[in-house]
Amino acid sequence: MEILKKNFNRILLLAGIMIFVLSISVFAGTVEVETAEQLASAIAGTEDVIKLMENIDLKDVGVSVDNAYHGISIPGGRKLTLDLNGKNLVSSATNKSTILISDGAELIISGDGEVRNDSDDYIETDGYIIRNFGKLTVNGGTYRSNLDSYVFAIYMAPGSDTVINNGTFEDVISSNGNSWNEPVTLEINNGTFKKMLYFPGAGNYTIDGGDFTIDSTLSEGYNYAAIEVKRGNLTINGGTFTKNVDTSNNINEEVNAGGSGSYKGVITVSKKPNYVEHLSVTLNGGTFTNTLGEAIVLANENDEYDIDVKIDGAIIDGKMAIYGDGKAGNTLTFKSGTVNDLQSAIDNVADNGEITLLENIESEDSIVINNGKKFTINLNG
């Protein structure tokens, strides 16, 4: 009996040691911070997870990189998780970006809370909340500025990787449009996006879900559309995209050569001669709504590189339109999907394609079919 008691005590002791060791392994890689100085020190350290315990303003710290100050910088070779923990990380003075992710660095952001850049030094130039030169994964949080236009929630530098699994983004997400750049990779699985996604740079952009509802009163400062794409490959498999905007002046516009602008719509696909490489957009799913005009807009002024847009399963609640006099041309192929503008769908339907009506259609004009193709119109009840 005494032997059994001793063995039982040994078992309890071993179990206690195992629990203690397990607790160390779980929590040893996490550091909790309350000040900007502690945050900077933790980034320079070796812990895998940094957890905010208080709201932090980065105005009194700054890292000088490329002749500009940034709130915090994740150095190359460093991989860490920033747990917002319901707290706010703010840059209120002098910093060009709140977070700079260096080439070769990896940052994962989790938890609720805000990440903001309220530095008015950059309101008229190029302020950023996050500048990503490495790898970024966003699992939560709100990204915004108290300033007006020209602040980017996420800037994707050439060669960077960005994954958005969730979060709220109240400022623009953009790549870089210089023609010699390495392609970026962007994957969006969910989230709420309140300003435009702007893709002038080479890259592979994939959207599987999310709410992209752009304020109808915003018409300037990178807010002409829900998404504007000028280079790369964009694939949309799901999500809700809404931009209710008057597009009646699109017929008089020209593609902006050095930034966003000109054509309005939900998805605007445009190319100027200085934007090299083939441009491809595939809409396998998603709902695209503009109750005031054109939803899908193509405009090519390039003589060498073409635009190719395929619709296969998306819901288009608005018109589809093609502009531009570039010799390379525009190709809009409607293979299948649901529409409320039957004529533009017929004009661009693929051979053996299927058009499903979104709603009852009443028109004073006759529907014209003269493309020589065989296709099906599903009245959808």
Side-chain angles (χ1 to χ4, degrees), residues 80-360:
L80 61 86
T81 296
L82 176 63
D83 182 358
L84 298 177
N85 189 35
K87 308 302 180 181
N88 300 334
L89 183 64
V90 182
S91 176
S92 65
T94 70
N95 293 318
K96 187 169 186 175
S97 65
T98 305
I99 301 175
L100 174 66
I101 304 171
S102 302
D103 185 16
E106 181 175 351
L107 175 64
I108 300 169
I109 302 178
S110 63
D112 296 326
E114 292 186 352
V115 182
R116 301 203 315 264
N117 186 351
D118 294 344
S119 173
D120 57 8
D121 291 6
Y122 293 95
I123 186 171
E124 296 298 334
T125 54
D126 49 359
Y128 306 92
I129 297 172
I130 299 176
R131 296 189 80 197
N132 180 25
F133 289 80
K135 184 173 182 179
L136 168 67
T137 300
V138 179
N139 295 323
T142 297
Y143 304 82
R144 69 179 186 86
S145 172
N146 284 333
L147 306 177
D148 294 324
S149 300
Y150 309 110
V151 175
F152 296 86
I154 299 176
Y155 164 80
M156 301 175 290
S160 64
D161 295 318
T162 302
V163 177
I164 298 174
N165 293 317
N166 217 329
T168 299
F169 303 85
E170 299 186 11
D171 285 292
V172 178
I173 295 176
S174 176
S175 57
N176 185 288
N178 292 330
S179 60
W180 56 85
N181 285 339
E182 297 179 40
V184 306
T185 300
L186 171 66
E187 177 185 332
I188 297 177
N189 295 307
N190 203 354
T192 301
F193 303 82
K194 298 187 177 182
K195 286 190 178 178
M196 187 176 74
L197 276 62
Y198 179 50
F199 302 146
N204 295 302
Y205 309 97
T206 303
I207 300 174
D208 289 328
D211 181 359
F212 304 79
T213 300
I214 312 302
D215 188 339
S216 299
T217 64
L218 299 174
S219 60
E220 297 181 356
Y222 297 92
N223 286 295
Y224 291 87
I227 299 178
E228 181 177 349
V229 55
K230 292 184 174 180
R231 294 179 65 210
N233 303 299
L234 169 63
T235 301
I236 298 179
N237 300 313
T240 301
F241 305 81
T242 304
K243 175 68 175 180
N244 293 316
V245 59
D246 182 0
T247 59
S248 59
N249 198 51
N250 275 350
I251 194 170
N252 300 315
E253 296 290 358
E254 292 183 1
V255 179
N256 192 331
S260 169
S262 301
Y263 290 94
K264 297 178 175 65
V266 182
I267 305 289
T268 62
V269 187
S270 61
K271 186 172 285 293
K272 200 78 172 175
N274 58 318
Y275 286 92
V276 301
E277 295 182 359
H278 174 75
L279 172 53
S280 173
V281 176
T282 303
L283 307 180
N284 294 320
T287 300
F288 305 85
T289 302
N290 182 7
T291 60
L292 300 178
E294 295 159 1
I296 310 299
V297 178
L298 284 67
N300 195 358
E301 298 173 11
N302 195 300
D303 291 338
E304 186 175 358
Y305 299 98
D306 67 332
I307 292 175
D308 183 13
V309 177
K310 294 183 176 66
I311 300 173
D312 189 5
I315 298 174
I316 313 298
D317 189 359
K319 298 179 181 296
M320 293 174 279
I322 298 177
Y323 300 98
D325 56 3
K327 295 179 182 178
N330 300 287
T331 302
L332 173 59
T333 304
F334 190 97
K335 184 175 181 181
S336 69
T338 305
V339 301
N340 70 353
D341 179 30
L342 181 58
Q343 185 63 66
S344 61
I346 290 174
D347 291 342
N348 299 287
V349 69
D351 200 22
N352 295 313
E354 180 173 337
I355 301 170
T356 301
L357 299 189
L358 179 62
E359 56 189 21
N360 295 333

Side-chain angles (χ1 to χ4, degrees), residues 8-39:
F8 181 71
N9 288 336
R10 288 195 187 99
I11 292 172
L12 288 178
L13 179 62
L14 288 173
I17 293 173
M18 289 177 66
I19 292 173
F20 178 72
V21 171
L22 180 61
S23 298
I24 293 177
S25 67
V26 170
F27 296 107
T30 299
V31 58
E32 298 177 346
V33 299
E34 298 181 355
T35 67
E37 292 75 15
Q38 290 177 357
L39 176 58

